Amino acid sequence: MHADADIPTEIQRTLTEFLDVQEQRLAELGPELAEQVQAARDATSGGKRLRPSFCYWGFRAAGGDPERPILTAAASLEMLHVSALVHDDVMDSSDTRRGAPAAHKRFEALQRARSEASGSGGDPVSFGIGAAILLGDLCLIWADEMLHTSGFDAAALARASKFFDAVRVEVTAGQYLDLVAQASGTSDLDLALRVLRYKAATYTVERPLHIGAALGGADQHLIDALSAYGLPLGEAFQLRDDLLGVFGDPAVTGKPAGDDLREGKRTVLVAHAVDHASPAQLAEFERLFGRAELDDDEIQLLREILQDSRSVQACEDLISERTAEAMEALDRSPVQDETSRKALADLAIAATSRHL
Amino acid sequence: MHADADIPTEIQRTLTEFLDVQEQRLAELGPELAEQVQAARDATSGGKRLRPSFCYWGFRAAGGDPERPILTAAASLEMLHVSALVHDDVMDSSDTRRGAPAAHKRFEALQRARSEASGSGGDPVSFGIGAAILLGDLCLIWADEMLHTSGFDAAALARASKFFDAVRVEVTAGQYLDLVAQASGTSDLDLALRVLRYKAATYTVERPLHIGAALGGADQHLIDALSAYGLPLGEAFQLRDDLLGVFGDPAVTGKPAGDDLREGKRTVLVAHAVDHASPAQLAEFERLFGRAELDDDEIQLLREILQDSRSVQACEDLISERTAEAMEALDRSPVQDETSRKALADLAIAATSRHL
């Protein structure tokens, strides 16, 4: 395809074609596997396709030929993302994702229907969790298969593999840091910043750029320049996402209002509030934060503490600073192609805007 | 290394070296990640190294040069296996693995100790499950990294990747078939046979042989011959494993006696019993099978039903037939190297013997 094509549409087409092939392969093992493929189809539908977009424009920034199968390679990052989301929802016991039931909830409903129809059978909750763990595993395996069967030659794939290995490990390690942070029962700004970096920033922006650029034949100078743009931008993106998790419109985020407050997500926003709230605010915050049954008034109270402690403003300031830093790095970068420069600048705005 | 070296020892050395490198990489993300690496070290210790052994001898059977880094490539199958075991233990809620606490139990204990030390913190059970999901993900990613950074050239890796992709998907799909079988609440011989094939037979014997042979430059004729040996042998191996899950000595299996009966594993052995038991035996069997709290007398009762329905004998007969079939296929195979022939014959005995 060419640069002017609609990237999200092309990514969707690539994912659908890949899953069509997998469905045929898996049918040989048994009709039951159609349930996994259908779950993968639903989980890979929608979303903003940010990671494939950064991968695509990293490739173009390196002077890659848009007639090469870059969108198949880029779609592998969406498959990786879905793997992480499916396992994340199991770990967080999140019931919804993008406005639909999370994968483990849909498998749970499938088993419940089967048990009711047959009058016997295993626990639907356990089945749902087990099936979702396996769906995440399949998507993790498929992400790799999509990349290395994308059609690039062995030398290009070897260059990209280094970054693909890095991002897979980083996002998994970042998830573990997040798990440790959530389980600690306290807010630690250093740990929250490392979660921000590895669970989100490198994974959403920097590494997708690197993978695309490596496939396009980038030298180390360009790789470094893409880090200088991508890392601060990734942090700004996640800070925006954290704000949306508390203040976002459910119709846009696909999650219930204030969901992150019920979950007790120990974000940079929360760490700032804990450091800057008055003793009375802090006591109130810690009393409510992370309780699954918060009502609307309690959500509102927590939001006010985040506002009054100037933590929201501090995050907005950080987002502005980091985005500006990314834009300056883009200006200084050796990227020659004007279309790529423009696309990367647009992506920086899109990834950090209030209406994401 | 050379063929005469001790394969399990070499596999252990390779895994340790790989994890040493990963530990250094992960230390940059934070000291917390040492917990994941330590869990990976423990989970990759011990075991019979069957899959790497089949991979090694598939390579040698194809005339591969033993000075090549075949054991690093072969160790990737052990890493894949550990990934599957860690997730399997979460799905089955198995508390022990190889006589030690399962990964999710060890992370649970870690969090419990931290919560007690700090007087606050998250639920240890959820933490344990989440951390084990991530450990399985890391091992799945690392398996791939071990293979493609093993040192083989791009052409050899491209040949092996096809089989590596296949085995990863097959074992995950086989796990899903198993989950469906366990949740069904009934025994279905066809489904039990497909679980046997994909969760165990292709994964333990056939695909490891293929991966090694492909790295060694095998033609399709040898690949087919290795299937003719490997598939029946893999089935015989798993049938033996199923018998050991019911009748095995806990000191050897590393699991409590009769554990598969408490778990309600719907194996071929069980499907045979359900098809052949008398109505009175069947009623007794279904009343007890799959109950977590079975005492020794109840375990003994279930064992007697499996014996009296001649299901144990039927499995022993199947093991003998399949092993003989594998041996004949080995005799007919185009494998030239006598050392490899001898090793494959020895492995067939070792993988199916009563004292495994």
Side-chain angles (χ1 to χ4, degrees):
Chain A
M1 71 145 246
H2 193 267
D4 301 335
D6 174 8
I7 293 177
T9 304
E10 289 294 313
I11 293 297
Q12 184 61 59
R13 189 183 55 73
T14 300
L15 289 166
T16 300
E17 285 176 6
F18 181 85
L19 288 173
D20 288 345
V21 173
Q22 298 305 318
E23 183 159 33
Q24 288 189 331
R25 274 171 59 179
L26 285 174
E28 292 170 30
L29 280 66
E32 299 85 352
L33 276 317
E35 295 156 12
Q36 284 281 343
V37 178
Q38 188 55 50
R41 286 189 196 281
D42 292 350
T44 53
S45 293
K48 295 172 292 285
R49 314 301 192 190
L50 272 181
R51 292 157 195 85
S53 298
F54 281 114
C55 183
Y56 178 82
W57 289 109
F59 177 78
R60 292 291 309 279
D65 174 0
E67 302 301 322
R68 302 285 302 129
I70 181 59
L71 284 166
T72 309
S76 71
L77 288 164
E78 195 68 14
M79 194 63 93
L80 177 67
H81 185 49
V82 166
S83 168
L85 294 182
V86 167
H87 281 179
D88 194 44
D89 286 342
V90 171
M91 291 189 283
D92 290 348
S93 302
S94 301
D95 288 355
T96 54
R97 168 66 65 182
R98 293 173 181 166
H104 61 104
K105 296 302 283 184
R106 88 178 260 146
F107 281 115
E108 181 184 320
L110 180 70
Q111 176 60 24
R112 184 164 288 121
R114 274 205 276 254
S115 292
E116 282 169 8
S118 71
S120 73
D123 171 34
V125 173
S126 300
F127 180 86
I129 290 170
I133 291 174
L134 294 172
L135 175 63
D137 290 349
L138 276 176
C139 292
L140 185 54
I141 294 161
W142 284 338
D144 179 42
E145 184 170 341
M146 284 192 89
L147 179 60
H148 74 244
T149 63
S150 58
F152 280 93
D153 63 29
L157 289 174
R159 290 193 304 269
S161 275
K162 193 177 75 170
F163 298 112
F164 191 69
D165 288 342
V167 73
R168 291 187 293 179
V169 168
E170 282 160 2
V171 68
T172 312
Q175 293 271 35
Y176 186 65
L177 294 178
D178 196 19
L179 202 63
V180 171
Q182 302 317 312
S184 71
T186 58
S187 280
D188 173 333
L189 186 61
D190 164 67
L191 184 53
L193 282 166
R194 284 186 289 133
V195 171
L196 181 75
R197 177 161 185 164
Y198 294 109
K199 187 176 166 178
T202 65
Y203 164 63
T204 305
V205 187
E206 186 195 23
R207 294 306 190 188
L209 286 166
H210 283 170
I211 291 166
L215 289 171
D219 61 14
Q220 190 60 44
H221 182 48
L222 179 58
I223 294 288
D224 292 343
L226 291 171
S227 290
Y229 158 85
L231 257 182
L233 178 58
E235 294 191 5
F237 160 77
Q238 188 56 42
L239 289 163
R240 171 63 61 210
D241 201 56
D242 289 347
L243 283 171
L244 289 169
V246 174
F247 296 96
D249 176 357
V252 179
T253 63
K255 295 198 289 188
D259 210 32
D260 284 3
L261 296 171
R262 289 193 189 84
E263 257 184 41
K265 270 185 81 174
R266 296 273 172 190
T267 60
V268 170
L269 173 70
V270 169
H272 186 281
V274 167
D275 284 351
H276 292 82
S278 70
Q281 284 176 325
L282 183 60
E284 188 70 354
F285 192 87
E286 292 291 2
R287 186 177 70 82
L288 295 172
F289 183 68
R291 282 175 41 195
E293 306 300 328
L294 292 179
D295 64 26
D296 288 352
D297 287 347
E298 290 167 327
I299 293 282
Q300 194 47 39
L301 203 63
L302 286 170
R303 285 175 172 163
E304 280 166 19
I305 296 171
L306 292 170
Q307 294 275 11
D308 294 348
S309 62
R310 297 195 52 78
S311 304
V312 173
Q313 191 54 50
C315 278
E316 289 286 359
D317 291 347
L318 265 175
I319 292 170
S320 300
E321 278 170 33
R322 293 283 197 273
T323 307
E325 200 184 321
M327 291 300 212
E328 283 160 29
L330 181 60
D331 283 345
R332 287 193 315 272
S333 80
V335 174
Q336 301 287 326
D337 175 49
E338 277 307 315
T339 312
S340 302
R341 281 187 171 274
K342 169 85 169 57
L344 290 170
D346 289 348
L347 273 172
I349 303 304
T352 57
S353 80
R354 283 188 180 75
H355 308 291
L356 191 64
Chain B
M1 71 144 246
H2 192 267
D4 300 335
D6 174 7
I7 293 178
T9 304
E10 289 295 312
I11 294 296
Q12 184 62 60
R13 189 184 54 72
T14 300
L15 290 166
T16 300
E17 285 175 8
F18 181 84
L19 289 173
D20 288 346
V21 173
Q22 298 306 319
E23 184 159 34
Q24 288 188 332
R25 273 172 59 180
L26 284 174
E28 292 170 30
L29 281 66
E32 299 86 351
L33 276 316
E35 296 156 12
Q36 283 282 343
V37 178
Q38 188 56 49
R41 287 189 195 281
D42 292 350
T44 52
S45 292
K48 296 173 292 285
R49 314 302 193 190
L50 272 181
R51 294 157 193 86
S53 298
F54 282 113
C55 182
Y56 178 81
W57 289 108
F59 177 78
R60 293 291 309 279
D65 173 1
E67 301 302 321
R68 303 285 301 130
I70 181 60
L71 284 166
T72 309
S76 71
L77 289 164
E78 196 68 15
M79 195 62 93
L80 177 67
H81 185 49
V82 166
S83 167
L85 295 182
V86 167
H87 281 179
D88 195 43
D89 286 342
V90 171
M91 292 189 281
D92 290 347
S93 302
S94 300
D95 289 354
T96 55
R97 170 65 64 181
R98 294 174 182 165
H104 60 104
K105 296 301 285 185
R106 96 179 252 142
F107 281 115
E108 181 184 321
L110 180 70
Q111 176 60 24
R112 185 164 289 120
R114 274 206 276 252
S115 291
E116 283 169 8
S118 71
S120 73
D123 172 34
V125 173
S126 300
F127 181 86
I129 290 171
I133 291 174
L134 295 172
L135 176 63
D137 290 349
L138 276 176
C139 292
L140 185 54
I141 295 161
W142 283 337
D144 180 43
E145 185 170 340
M146 283 193 89
L147 179 60
H148 74 244
T149 61
S150 58
F152 279 94
D153 62 31
L157 289 174
R159 291 194 304 271
S161 275
K162 194 177 75 170
F163 298 111
F164 191 69
D165 288 341
V167 73
R168 289 187 294 180
V169 168
E170 282 160 1
V171 69
T172 312
Q175 292 271 36
Y176 185 65
L177 294 178
D178 196 19
L179 202 63
V180 170
Q182 303 315 313
S184 71
T186 59
S187 279
D188 174 333
L189 186 60
D190 163 68
L191 183 53
L193 282 166
R194 285 186 288 132
V195 171
L196 182 75
R197 178 160 184 164
Y198 294 108
K199 187 177 166 178
T202 65
Y203 164 63
T204 306
V205 188
E206 186 195 23
R207 295 306 190 188
L209 286 166
H210 284 170
I211 291 165
L215 289 171
D219 59 14
Q220 190 60 43
H221 182 48
L222 178 58
I223 294 288
D224 292 342
L226 291 172
S227 289
Y229 157 86
L231 256 182
L233 179 57
E235 294 191 6
F237 160 77
Q238 188 56 41
L239 288 163
R240 172 62 63 211
D241 201 57
D242 289 347
L243 283 171
L244 289 169
V246 174
F247 297 96
D249 176 356
V252 179
T253 63
K255 294 198 289 188
D259 210 32
D260 284 3
L261 297 171
R262 289 194 188 84
E263 256 183 42
K265 269 185 80 174
R266 297 273 171 189
T267 60
V268 170
L269 173 71
V270 168
H272 185 282
V274 167
D275 285 350
H276 293 81
S278 69
Q281 284 176 326
L282 183 58
E284 189 71 355
F285 191 87
E286 292 291 3
R287 186 177 69 82
L288 296 173
F289 184 68
R291 283 176 38 196
E293 306 300 326
L294 294 178
D295 64 27
D296 288 353
D297 287 348
E298 290 167 327
I299 292 282
Q300 193 48 38
L301 203 66
L302 285 170
R303 284 175 172 164
E304 280 165 19
I305 296 171
L306 293 170
Q307 294 275 10
D308 294 348
S309 61
R310 298 195 52 76
S311 304
V312 173
Q313 191 55 50
C315 279
E316 289 287 358
D317 291 348
L318 265 175
I319 292 170
S320 299
E321 278 170 33
R322 293 283 198 274
T323 307
E325 200 183 320
M327 291 301 213
E328 284 160 27
L330 181 60
D331 283 347
R332 288 194 315 273
S333 79
V335 174
Q336 301 288 326
D337 175 48
E338 276 308 314
T339 313
S340 301
R341 280 187 171 275
K342 170 85 168 56
L344 290 170
D346 289 348
L347 274 172
I349 304 302
T352 57
S353 81
R354 284 187 180 75
H355 308 292
L356 190 65

